[in-house]
Amino acid sequence: MFPIRDHNPSGRTPYVVYALMAANILIFLSYVGIMDEGPKISRLFYDYAIIPARVSDGFGLETLVTSMFLHGGWTHLAGNMLFLWIFGDNLEDEMGHLPFLLFYLAAGIGAGLIHIITGPDSQVPTVGASGAIAGVMGGYLLLFPKARVDILLILIVYFRVFTIPAFIMLGIWLAIQFFGSITSNPDEGGIAYWAHTGGFAVGLILCIPLWLRRGGAQFWDRTRGHPPHPEAKYKLSRSRIPRVPRR
């Protein structure tokens, strides 16, 4: 189940979102050629990825930032950029360009610290913008809980796009991350669930002052949880794939 777009148009050009996407893509392209060369990619991740045991000992603090611009593969990169593109523009619109950039970095650093706290002795390198983007999703949930999001559902050979409120989509995502957090072992690698869960919480908390300035609960009452502007309208065209008649 993949989100493909929301119905929440931005009122300004999201230059920071575009810049962050460009930086992540260009940095990934700069080292994708050595992904299959064990010693080289291991050295790169040792220098720039979060290794909780190193940071716990006071080394590599800069990796709390540099790790946000590294990814472990094309799918990892594409998934993160998709979520940033869908949810980031609206927060940048609400916050402004520079405050959004600072928010993004703070959410990513907070996610990295929570990941370290939950596995301080782990030697497994951690990379990806997922923690920062989870923070964006947390802020989005607070400000636009009922914004409509188009979801692509794929069940083996069944494909369908349907629309659900943001709080359902983000709530399901958060539940998956939390379940993964309490059942996974940070020393074994894999998905950094605590970074996702922690980043989401950090982003939501950091957005509380903005939400209060908008009126807090009264803002929700005025908008009923929807974006405070007309939602985008999308027309779904019929598939060109011919139907196979049943006998």
Side-chain angles (χ1 to χ4, degrees), residues 97-112:
H97 302 304
L98 181 58
F100 173 74
L101 176 61
L102 297 177
F103 163 84
Y104 179 90
L105 295 174
I109 291 171

Side-chain angles (χ1 to χ4, degrees), residues 41-58:
I41 196 65
S42 295
R43 185 66 204 182
L44 177 72
F45 283 174
Y46 180 84
D47 289 338
Y48 298 106
I50 291 177
I51 300 179
R54 286 188 66 213
V55 180
S56 297
D57 291 336

